[in-house]
Amino acid sequence: EEQLVESGGASVQPGGSLRLSCVASDLPFSFSTYGMSWVRQAPGKGLEWVSTIDSDGGTTSYADSVIGRFTISRDNAKNTVYLQMNSLKPEDTAMYYCAARWGVLPARWTDRRQYDYWGQGTQVTVSS
C-alpha cells in the first residue's frame, strides 16, 4: 500500500530545533519523480502550506512565515523528504503533514485533493 510516514515531531521550547522526516513507500512511480510538500494545521485552524521541493531537490519554496528558519531537503536514495526547523516559535505549533504529487512541482496548495498522497502527520508543539 502506498504511504507517506512522517516522524520527528516533539515538544520543544521556543528557539529550539527539530528535523521532521517523511518516508515514502510503495509509490507507483519512483520517489524521484514526485514533487513533495510540507503542510501544517494548527489547533482550530485550517491547513497552511509550509514548503515545497521539486523532484530532484533543485527548487524549493517557503511560506513567508518560515523563510530563514525552515529548510526542506530530500534524499531520493532513501525515499525521504526532510524539514529542518530552527528558531521555532509557539505559532509553529501544529500537526505537520507531508504530501506528494507525481510529475508536478506543487504550488502553495492546501487542498488535500491536489496531492496524490498524504501522510498521517507528526505533532510539533513549541511551548515554554
Side-chain angles (χ1 to χ4, degrees):
E1 179 180 351
E2 307 94 338
Q3 61 178 345
L4 303 175
V5 179
E6 302 94 334
S7 63
S11 293
V12 297
Q13 293 186 341
S17 296
L18 285 174
R19 188 176 81 155
L20 306 184
S21 299
C22 170
V23 180
S25 61
D26 297 323
L27 299 183
F29 303 103
S30 171
F31 178 72
S32 64
T33 63
Y34 289 83
M36 300 296 297
S37 293
W38 287 95
V39 181
R40 67 186 181 185
Q41 186 167 27
K45 296 188 177 181
L47 292 170
E48 177 189 16
W49 172 81
V50 175
S51 183
T52 287
I53 189 167
D54 72 346
S55 58
D56 67 4
T59 300
T60 59
S61 57
Y62 300 91
D64 289 347
S65 59
V66 307
I67 286 176
R69 301 188 299 121
F70 290 12
T71 303
I72 191 171
S73 61
R74 66 190 295 160
D75 184 341
N76 286 340
K78 295 182 178 180
N79 289 358
T80 302
V81 62
Y82 304 98
L83 186 68
Q84 177 66 44
M85 306 188 296
N86 299 328
S87 302
L88 283 162
K89 304 176 181 180
E91 51 263 43
D92 295 318
T93 295
M95 183 72 77
Y96 284 72
Y97 301 94
C98 70
R101 175 68 183 265
W102 181 74
V104 172
L105 176 63
R108 302 181 175 218
W109 300 332
T110 57
D111 185 343
R112 293 181 58 159
R113 295 171 298 180
Q114 291 178 295
Y115 296 95
D116 296 314
Y117 301 100
W118 187 273
Q120 86 291 344
T122 187
Q123 178 68 39
V124 172
T125 301
V126 185
S127 174
S128 56

